[in-house]
RNA sequence: GCCUGUGUGGCGGAAUUGGUAGACGCGUUGGAUUCAAAAUCCAAUGUCCUUUGGACGUGGGGGUUCGACUCCCUCCACAGGCACCA
């Protein structure tokens, strides 16, 4: 395709980018100059090496908001940095011998240039990378404050182990039983790890969700569910035959009301009592390894796994009835939730029912639907609905809520247990057995235990002389870095070789941006008070329970450590949709890049080189593995940044997915050129920029002025509502009207100038380069970026005449044109006097006439 | 299974929140310009009916209303999230 450059896109765009940078147009001081501040932030990128189209969309949205808010008189903080620690750097080191640092900073340089080429309004003076030593130093301070406060602690526990990345994963990083990056099946390992006490904040994180109104409901629901608060009863059952030091079993239940229906006790395979029993019971050992630990945690594995049990022979007495319950080890009980033990009520829990049928245990319904008379029978389906208690002694006749309260009261009185709130959320493991991260500033001493590195010895920096030939953590193999003296007793000690998870890095970067050069403390509290919370946060939905939950937790923890006063870091959150693209495969099923295929005249797709037929495989999320990717930097070169920006903003609402298409970018490019042409072609005839629009203008010019102000009104509102695609549609309408306008008089030319100027000004947030160029061509000196947003004229925006629809029985039958301020009576008369309406009503009786002035008339007739 | 969304022409989508469905763009067709092409400009473009005109039409079915893409019930499809959480 040949491209006809109406104006030199490359040189013009780069020129303005340089000017903005030289004059620091988008820089703001740490302490804002005015009270009218606004903080716009997009989730910062991982420097993978190349910008992708998703970045274009994410950062253009933030950029449009920034430029719009600046025009509205806000002092806008819009910083940019790099989430630059993490595994890919190490994998690259393994693959091609780069040092992770070299690889990372080279990528940052490349991507910084790409981001600048997009014309984004960042305050580049604030840029930092989380792998910077300065950043890690402050982060180590934060970690030690957390340690001091007991928010960071060590414990031995079963952890998710990714066998491919040789690294521990947080629960939030395990998807469908697989590592979120490597895709490898996650194993369970017993390791000593650093954890953050996010569970202490569970209630607060839950309650806080109600205070952040401008978040997508979907994200809040996902976080609520992840925290997973449920109220119930924790109680103990004494063993009839105490064994191995165990004399009772603790269980947790959310259905204490069903206790009379209990027919067994279930233990997790990892429960301490199970482990104890297994020591001298080979059959139990075999059961644990064959039936409990073998099955995967994937969706399919769970759904097909049969309920299996192992009778331990132990029994416990029922607390209220004269009978014993057998104790089973069961493969469906998780150690990680509650106490790892339950009482099974087959009638009211499907899993328990499946289990009971298999091992022939009692199934006694104790909650029956309202109105059932005694003969309620459970077949293959457990009853989990509402109802009245039955077969339950003193609970009979109560509803579920009352029965729960009664049991809890009695168990507490018997000192056998207590009401307990249980969370699904577990503490956040932040240790990673990898090199390219922030070192944990702790030294392990045999005598003193875990000793913090003293503040004057911070930062703990990574050694450069490491080797990556072997998998695993090179810090652990490093001869000198690891062996140090204990800061307390001076004896031989060992440095902590784990580094912090990268989600730790991204949990406070938004605060560091307020005060990025501070060496004494992570950030100045006053400065964060002025800028935080972030007024508008923009990013992908995939972080709904990872980054967005951690950052909310960090704000609270940082507040408790005295670093800042803000609890909720992000006031408004906007989650954008992903980018999709057509995908292609050859006859063997191999994915092909878009540039490897071409469409023939007969609508058949073939391979460019081999000419073999190609299968079009549907529009799916852009990903390297499916090869349906587009390199945005090539787009900047051929179409320019303005066209790329316009396209990603105009084709879809920002929260929905966007299908990338060559035709779409082509259309955007044409519009950029069209605006350029419309202004430059009129320039010679336009009057001086100071001329005001006279009244001596044609009707056509009056219509144009009317449209200009009407557009302005709608357009501004649309941007505020994030309806960017609708705003751009109105912009195009205005451009179409200008294109069809033939100026006659001198006054018409001033009207044309006004229309062109407004069009250029309001197009600026989307197409900053071409509009700055045209604004200058129109004779202005000030940057459009620094202009105030134009205000519409109420009178000019108002319609004088409006067209009103006239319906008969709800069906459109005619249209009438009226003065815009026509009242009800006038409107009704005009509608009934309309010729068509009269004809259609001639043989009918009018029952009722509904008149909504300015909108519609509906005649109800028979 | 549970919890969220979404469903509108050939395609992406609009409808300022109950009041003229299909704005705007892409595509297609026709025309102008051109030696020709590209670019540009103009016009048409939901479906069906024999027309001046009419009928149908926002995933299906039902309801509320003078009036429903919009609100309610129900079913279907797709997408996302969670999931042996007691």
């Amino acid at each position: 395709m040949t491209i006809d450059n109406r104006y030199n896109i490359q040189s013009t765009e780069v020129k303005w980018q340089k000017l903005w940078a030289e004059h620091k147009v988008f820089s703001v001081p740490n302490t804002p100059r005015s009270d009218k501040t606004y903080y716009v932030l997009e989730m910062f990128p991982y420097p993978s090496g190349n910008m992708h189209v998703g970045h274009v969309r994410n950062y253009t949205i933030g950029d449009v908001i920034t430029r719009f808010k600046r025009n509205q008189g806000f002092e806008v903080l819009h910083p940019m940095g790099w989430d630059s620690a993490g595994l890919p750097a190490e994998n690259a080191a393994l693959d091609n011998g780069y040092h992770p640092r070299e690889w990372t900073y080279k990528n940052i340089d490349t991507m910084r240039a790409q981001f600048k080429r997009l014309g984004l309004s960042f305050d580049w003076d604030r840029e930092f990378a989380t792998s910077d030593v300065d950043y890690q130093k402050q982060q180590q301070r934060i970690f030690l404050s957390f340690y001091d406060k007991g928010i960071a602690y060590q414990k031995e526990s079963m952890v998710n182990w990714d066998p491919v990345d040789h690294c521990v994963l947080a629960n939030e990083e395990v998807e469908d039983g697989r590592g979120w990056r490597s895709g490898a099946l996650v194993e369970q390992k017993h390791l000593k790890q650093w954890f953050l006490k996010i569970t202490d904040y569970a209630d607060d994180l839950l309650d806080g969700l109600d205070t952040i109104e401008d978040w997508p409901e979907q994200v809040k629901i996902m976080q609520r569910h992840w925290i997973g608060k449920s109220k119930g009863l924790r109680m103990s059952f004494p063993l009839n035959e105490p064994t191995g030091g165990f004399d009772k079993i603790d269980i947790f239940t959310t259905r204490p009301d069903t206790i009379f229906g209990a027919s067994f006790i279930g233990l997790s395979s990892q429960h301490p009592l199970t482990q104890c029993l297994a020591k001298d019971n080979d059959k139990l050992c075999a059961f644990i390894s064959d039936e409990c630990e073998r099955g995967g945690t994937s969706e399919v594995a769970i759904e097909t796994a049969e309920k299996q049990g192992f009778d331990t022979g132990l029994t416990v007495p029922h607390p209220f009835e004269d009978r014993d319950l057998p104790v089973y080890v069961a493969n469906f009980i998780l150690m990680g939730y509650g106490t790892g033990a339950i009482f099974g009520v087959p009638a009211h829990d499907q899993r328990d029912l499946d289990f009971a049928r298999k091992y022939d245990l009692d199934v006694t319904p104790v909650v029956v639907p309202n109105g059932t008379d005694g003969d309620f029978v459970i077949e293959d389906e457990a009853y989990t609905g509402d109802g009245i208690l039955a077969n339950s002694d003193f609970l009979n006749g109560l509803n579920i809520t009352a029965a729960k309260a009664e049991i809890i009261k009695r168990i507490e009185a018997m000192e056998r247990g207590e009401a307990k709130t249980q969370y699904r959320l577990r503490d956040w493991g932040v240790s990673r057995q990898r090199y390219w991260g922030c070192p944990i500033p702790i030294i392990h001493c045999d005598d003193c235990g875990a000793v913090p590195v003293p503040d004057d010895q911070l930062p703990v920096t990574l050694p450069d002389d490491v080797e990556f030939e072997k998998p695993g953590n090179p810090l652990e193999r490093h001869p000198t870095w690891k062996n140090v003296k204990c800061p307390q007793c001076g004896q031989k000690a060992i440095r902590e070789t784990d580094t912090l998870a990268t989600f730790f890095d991204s949990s406070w970067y938004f605060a560091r941006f307020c005060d990025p050069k501070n060496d004494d403390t992570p950030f100045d509290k006053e400065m964060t008070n002025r800028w935080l919370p972030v007024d508008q946060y923009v990013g992908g939905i995939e972080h709904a329970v990872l980054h967005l939950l951690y950052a909310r937790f960090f704000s609270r923890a940082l507040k408790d450590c005295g670093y800042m006063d803000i609890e909720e870091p992000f006031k408004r959150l906007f989650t954008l949709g992903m980018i999709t693209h057509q995908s292609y495969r050859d006859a063997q099923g191999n994915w092909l890049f878009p540039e490897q295929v071409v469409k023939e005249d007969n609508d058949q797709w073939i391979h460019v080189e081999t000419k073999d037929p190609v299968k079009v495989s549907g529009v799916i999320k852009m990903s390297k593995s499916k090869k349906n990717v587009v390199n945005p930097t090539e787009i900047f070169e051929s179409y320019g940044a303005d066209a790329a920006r316009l396209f990603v903003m105009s084709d879809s609402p920002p929260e929905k997915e966007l299908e990338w298409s060559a035709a779409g970018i082509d259309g955007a490019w044409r519009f950029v050129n069209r605006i350029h042409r419309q202004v430059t072609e009129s320039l010679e005839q336009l009057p001086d920029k100071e001329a005001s629009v006279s009244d001596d203008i044609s009707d056509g010019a009056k219509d144009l002025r009317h449209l200009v102000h009407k557009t302005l009104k709608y357009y501004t509102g649309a941007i505020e509502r994030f309806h960017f695609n609708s705003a751009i549609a109105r912009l195009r309408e205005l451009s179409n009207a200008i294109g069809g306008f033939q100026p006659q008089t001198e006054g018409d030319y001033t009207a044309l100038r006004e229309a062109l100027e407004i069009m250029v000004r309001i197009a600026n947030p989307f197409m900053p380069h071409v509009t700055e160029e045209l604004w200058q061509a129109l004779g202005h000196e000030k940057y459009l970026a620094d202009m105030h947003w134009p205000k519409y004229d109420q009178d000019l925006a108002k319609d004088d005449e409006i067209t009103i629809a006239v319906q008969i029985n709800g069906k459109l039958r005619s249209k009438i044109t009226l003065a815009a301020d026509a009242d009800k009576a006038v409107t009704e008369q005009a509608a009934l006097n309309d010729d068509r309406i009269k004809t259609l009503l001639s043989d009918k009786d009018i029952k009722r006439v509904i008149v909504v002035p300015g909108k519609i008339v509906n005649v109800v007739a028979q």
Side-chain angles (χ1 to χ4, degrees):
Chain A
M1 171 187 339
T2 53
I3 286 170
D4 172 24
N5 271 357
R6 289 301 166 125
Y7 82 109
N8 192 323
I9 295 174
Q10 282 291 323
S11 66
T12 308
E13 290 190 344
V14 171
K15 176 181 84 184
W16 288 102
Q17 285 157 13
K18 275 190 181 150
L19 284 169
W20 294 329
E22 271 169 33
H23 295 122
K24 294 198 178 295
V25 173
F26 301 108
S27 292
V28 289
N30 283 4
T31 305
R33 289 160 293 208
S34 87
D35 288 338
K36 215 179 158 190
T37 61
Y38 206 84
Y39 186 175
V40 179
L41 186 67
E42 303 98 37
M43 291 177 188
F44 66 162
Y46 177 79
S48 59
N50 265 304
M51 190 186 214
H52 54 74
V53 186
H55 289 131
V56 176
R57 193 182 203 193
N58 191 32
Y59 296 99
T60 300
I61 290 173
D63 193 60
V64 168
I65 298 163
T66 302
R67 289 172 181 273
F68 180 66
K69 285 288 170 187
R70 287 185 85 259
N71 287 163
Q72 288 190 320
F74 286 88
E75 187 160 26
V76 181
L77 173 61
H78 187 215
M80 176 64 170
W82 310 94
D83 188 13
S84 56
L87 270 177
E90 270 177 84
N91 292 337
L94 255 154
D95 290 346
N96 49 35
Y98 275 116
H99 189 278
R101 176 172 287 108
E102 189 192 351
W103 185 83
T104 300
Y105 285 90
K106 186 179 65 82
N107 285 351
I108 289 177
D109 287 342
T110 310
M111 288 180 73
R112 186 191 301 108
Q114 293 171 342
F115 276 100
K116 287 192 172 177
R117 187 59 193 79
L118 191 52
L120 301 171
S121 57
F122 289 126
D123 179 356
W124 283 104
D125 292 344
R126 292 171 184 275
E127 178 189 0
F128 62 78
T130 57
S131 54
D132 291 350
V133 169
D134 290 351
Y135 189 80
Q136 294 190 340
K137 178 178 178 181
Q138 302 308 327
Q139 180 150 298
Q140 288 167 356
R141 282 208 167 105
I142 290 174
F143 180 87
L144 291 177
S145 296
F146 284 178
Y147 183 54
D148 236 27
K149 274 261 173 195
I151 296 169
Y153 67 99
Q154 272 183 299
K155 77 170 176 197
E156 293 238 0
S157 74
M158 293 298 279
V159 291
N160 307 303
W161 180 260
D162 187 319
V164 168
D165 282 343
H166 294 274
C167 191
V168 164
L169 298 175
N171 296 321
E172 288 83 349
E173 291 168 328
V174 178
E175 290 166 357
D176 221 13
R178 290 171 184 273
W180 71 307
R181 276 246 160 89
S182 69
L185 275 175
V186 169
E187 297 168 359
Q188 297 297 307
K189 249 194 172 180
H190 204 69
L191 277 180
K192 194 167 190 181
Q193 297 280 297
W194 287 95
F195 285 86
L196 298 188
K197 266 208 150 314
I198 191 170
T199 51
D200 274 4
Y201 294 84
D203 251 328
D204 200 25
L205 287 167
L206 207 53
D207 294 345
L209 289 173
D210 297 329
T211 69
I212 35 178
E213 288 167 23
D214 294 314
W215 273 41
E217 202 52 40
Q218 190 195 2
V219 174
K220 295 205 261 185
I221 288 167
M222 280 163 71
Q223 290 209 357
R224 267 188 209 110
H225 192 247
W226 190 264
I227 295 167
K229 181 178 183 171
S230 44
K231 289 178 179 169
L233 170 71
R234 195 167 176 155
M235 67 173 290
S236 59
F237 286 84
L239 283 162
N240 284 326
E241 327 57 15
T243 175
F246 293 88
D247 58 358
K248 62 184 172 66
I249 296 171
D250 286 330
I251 64 94
F252 173 75
T253 179
T254 55
R255 291 297 302 275
D257 53 305
T258 60
I259 191 158
F260 285 92
S263 48
F264 67 98
I265 296 288
L267 295 177
S268 162
S269 62
Q270 290 161 26
H271 193 278
L273 176 55
T274 310
Q275 295 288 327
C276 173
L277 294 170
K279 268 184 216 154
D280 23 59
N281 187 332
D282 293 345
K283 279 185 185 165
L284 179 53
C285 268
F287 173 77
I288 292 170
S289 58
D290 292 351
E291 301 301 339
C292 303
E293 291 179 351
R294 194 182 50 184
T297 41
S298 72
E299 190 175 333
V300 183
I302 288 168
E303 264 178 20
T304 52
E306 203 182 334
K307 304 284 171 284
Q308 302 272 4
F310 183 93
D311 191 348
T312 63
L314 301 174
T315 55
V316 297
H318 190 278
F320 302 109
E321 289 184 316
D322 185 22
R323 63 187 171 100
D324 285 338
L325 305 177
V327 178
Y328 280 81
V329 174
N331 65 344
F332 61 95
I333 296 162
L334 306 173
M335 194 57 218
Y337 185 80
T339 61
I342 59 151
F343 66 68
V345 184
H348 304 293
D349 184 292
Q350 193 58 48
R351 295 157 301 176
D352 296 350
L353 182 62
D354 295 345
F355 189 81
R357 294 288 188 228
K358 181 158 180 161
Y359 296 100
D360 203 20
L361 301 165
D362 286 343
V363 180
T364 313
V366 289
V367 175
V368 298
N370 291 314
T372 314
D373 291 329
D375 49 24
F376 181 66
V377 183
I378 299 288
E379 302 282 348
D380 298 332
E381 230 171 271
Y383 180 70
T384 53
D386 202 5
I388 297 295
L389 273 286
N391 304 323
S392 295
D393 195 356
F394 53 86
L395 295 179
N396 285 339
L398 295 178
N399 63 34
I400 292 176
T401 315
K404 281 181 178 171
E406 179 63 23
I407 286 291
I408 290 171
K409 202 178 88 188
R410 292 207 184 207
I411 294 290
E412 284 180 345
M414 292 156 76
E415 298 190 344
R416 289 274 298 275
E418 59 194 357
K420 165 96 179 155
T421 303
Q422 188 70 41
Y423 297 92
R424 189 182 170 278
L425 183 72
R426 280 174 266 169
D427 275 343
W428 174 20
V430 293
S431 295
R432 294 293 180 274
Q433 294 66 43
R434 300 299 300 218
Y435 168 79
W436 190 234
C438 178
I440 295 174
I442 293 285
I443 289 165
H444 297 283
C445 168
D446 282 345
D447 295 336
C448 310
V451 181
V453 173
D455 192 73
D456 60 10
Q457 289 172 32
L458 296 181
V460 177
T461 55
L462 293 168
D464 277 334
D465 53 335
V466 283
E467 47 174 81
F468 294 96
E469 280 73 47
K470 282 179 266 179
N473 184 357
L475 291 177
E476 202 145 4
R477 302 189 296 262
H478 196 279
T480 53
W481 189 82
K482 184 178 168 185
N483 298 302
V484 287
K485 287 195 170 131
C486 170
Q488 257 170 40
C489 68
Q491 295 301 304
K492 270 191 180 174
I494 289 177
R495 199 183 279 291
E496 171 68 61
T497 55
D498 284 353
T499 54
L500 290 170
T502 55
F503 278 116
F504 197 113
D505 304 342
S506 55
S507 292
W508 67 284
Y509 79 107
F510 47 88
R512 180 71 176 171
F513 273 138
C514 301
D515 186 16
K517 303 281 191 278
N518 202 325
D519 193 46
D520 303 324
T521 171
F523 42 82
D524 183 279
K525 197 188 213 176
E526 279 315 300
M527 288 173 191
T528 54
N529 279 343
R530 293 295 295 276
W531 288 111
L532 289 176
V534 173
D535 291 280
Q536 183 63 63
Y537 201 33
V538 181
I541 186 84
E542 66 272 19
H543 290 109
V545 285
L546 290 158
H547 164 60
L548 287 168
L549 185 64
Y550 294 148
R552 295 183 58 231
F553 155 60
F554 251 62
S555 294
R556 288 162 168 81
L558 288 169
K559 188 183 171 196
D560 286 351
C561 294
Y563 285 108
M564 66 184 201
D565 296 328
I566 277 80
E567 282 195 353
E568 288 296 342
F570 313 120
K571 193 173 169 199
R572 297 185 80 193
L573 171 69
F574 188 83
T575 49
L576 64 147
M578 59 197 183
I579 312 264
T580 60
H581 192 261
Q582 190 74 256
S583 57
Y584 311 92
R585 316 174 83 147
D586 63 19
Q588 288 77 47
N590 301 314
W591 299 100
L592 298 169
F593 287 109
E595 56 268 27
Q596 290 178 291
V597 302
V598 68
K599 194 179 183 182
E600 296 222 285
D601 292 340
N602 59 3
D603 277 5
Q604 293 291 307
W605 290 84
I606 57 158
H607 194 287
V608 173
E609 283 152 23
T610 65
K611 308 290 177 203
D612 291 337
V614 166
K615 216 172 94 195
V616 176
S617 259
V619 178
I620 51 175
K621 184 183 175 179
M622 267 196 195
S623 76
K624 278 182 196 157
S625 60
K626 308 282 163 60
K627 294 196 175 175
N628 60 337
V629 287
V630 173
N631 183 352
T633 55
E634 285 168 17
I635 304 283
F636 303 157
E637 274 164 35
S638 41
Y639 293 95
D642 283 337
R645 295 167 58 112
L646 184 68
F647 170 63
V648 295
M649 297 302 278
S650 64
D651 225 47
S652 253
E655 67 278 8
K656 279 192 72 171
E657 47 189 50
L658 169 73
E659 187 191 339
W660 188 275
S661 72
I665 185 77
D666 230 39
W669 174 79
R670 280 206 291 272
F671 187 52
V672 173
N673 280 297
R674 180 184 163 90
I675 285 191
H676 186 269
R677 197 171 349 99
Q678 284 188 322
V679 175
T680 49
E681 283 178 0
S682 315
L683 269 178
E684 280 173 26
Q685 294 132 305
L686 289 182
D688 191 73
K689 64 178 190 289
E690 268 79 38
S692 61
V693 184
S694 74
D695 290 336
D696 175 31
I697 60 173
S698 65
D699 285 350
K702 280 182 185 155
D703 289 347
L704 182 63
R705 295 192 75 195
H706 173 55
L707 182 71
V708 166
H709 288 269
K710 223 171 126 172
T711 301
L712 200 46
K713 184 179 176 181
Y714 180 90
Y715 188 89
T716 307
I719 291 183
E720 274 160 358
R721 293 193 309 274
F722 282 35
H723 290 195
F724 303 119
N725 54 333
S726 300
I728 291 165
R730 294 302 171 115
L731 190 66
R732 292 187 121 118
E733 275 179 307
L734 180 58
S735 169
N736 289 346
I738 290 172
F741 176 57
Q742 302 289 332
Q744 321 264 312
T745 67
E746 207 173 306
D748 282 6
Y749 278 101
T750 48
L752 176 61
R753 171 179 266 278
E754 185 198 34
L756 289 169
E757 291 203 343
I758 295 288
M759 178 174 75
V760 166
R761 287 174 68 179
I762 64 178
N764 174 258
F766 297 104
M767 299 173 264
H769 310 89
V770 70
T771 51
E772 289 281 12
E773 182 74 8
L774 293 172
W775 187 239
Q776 192 186 46
L778 283 160
H780 301 275
E781 272 151 33
K782 205 171 168 184
Y783 287 116
L784 259 188
D786 284 332
M787 290 289 292
H788 277 285
W789 192 253
K791 284 199 169 66
Y792 67 91
D793 183 312
Q794 192 78 36
D795 289 336
L796 288 171
K798 205 168 64 187
D799 288 308
D800 294 334
E801 282 193 329
I802 47 171
T803 303
I804 282 185
V806 184
Q807 302 178 330
I808 294 175
N809 295 333
K811 287 197 173 159
L812 180 68
R813 285 296 178 253
S814 184
K815 291 175 186 179
I816 54 175
T817 303
L818 287 174
D821 55 359
D823 65 13
K824 213 168 170 172
V826 173
T827 308
E828 180 169 341
Q829 268 315 306
L832 294 176
N833 285 335
D834 180 74
D835 287 344
R836 260 187 62 72
I837 296 297
K838 265 203 240 172
T839 318
L840 288 164
L841 286 175
S842 58
D843 58 345
K844 289 192 170 79
D845 286 342
I846 298 175
K847 299 282 181 203
R848 201 177 150 191
V849 182
I850 285 122
V851 182
V852 185
K855 296 256 163 107
I856 205 161
V857 176
N858 187 14
V859 183
V860 186
Q862 248 177 357

